[in-house]
Structure formats: structure tokens, C-alpha cells
């Protein structure tokens, strides 16, 4: 039981770190005017109410 808990915690932490990295990369890409994703980023910011 203890080992199963430890293993799950490691995996959950790994997934969380991966999600943060992916989110950060997407965030940078949507802010960069040179990328195709920039209009998408603008739309996202409008949707969440940020300017």
C-alpha cells in the first residue's frame, strides 16, 4: 500500500510538471506575434477577460 502510494505520487507529480511545461510553452507561443497561434492567444485572453 505504501509503495503504491509513493509510485502514484511520483507519477502525479511528473504529470503535473509536464502539464506546467506544456502550458508554459503554449503560453509563450500564443504571446509571440511571429507564430500562427498568436490570434488564438488573443481570443483566449478575450474569453478569460484579460487584456
Amino acid at each position: 500500500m505504501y509503495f503504491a502510494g509513493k509510485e502514484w505520487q511520483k507519477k502525479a507529480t511528473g504529470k503535473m510538471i509536464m502539464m506546467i511545461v506544456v502550458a508554459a510553452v503554449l503560453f509563450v507561443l500564443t504571446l509571440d506575434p511571429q507564430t500562427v497561434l498568436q490570434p488564438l492567444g488573443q481570443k483566449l485572453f478575450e474569453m478569460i477577460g484579460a487584456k
Side-chain angles (χ1 to χ4, degrees), residues 26 30-31 35-47:
L26 283 173
T30 55
L31 288 181
T35 62
V36 183
L37 288 172
Q38 214 266 339
L40 192 75
Q42 296 293 103
K43 279 273 185 286
L44 269 171
F45 277 116
E46 282 172 29
M47 280 167 60

Side-chain angles (χ1 to χ4, degrees), residues 5-51:
K6 283 297 236 187
E7 203 58 39
W8 179 85
Q9 198 175 14
K10 269 190 257 173
K11 283 184 181 143
T13 308
K15 283 178 189 163
M16 205 148 139
I17 291 166
M18 199 66 201
M19 282 297 294
I20 291 167
V21 169
V22 170
V25 169
L26 283 173
F27 187 69
V28 168
L29 285 175
T30 55
L31 288 181
D32 189 354
Q34 303 298 310
T35 62
V36 183
L37 288 172
Q38 214 266 339
L40 192 75
Q42 296 293 103
K43 279 273 185 286
L44 269 171
F45 277 116
E46 282 172 29
M47 280 167 60
I48 59 174
K51 285 182 171 64

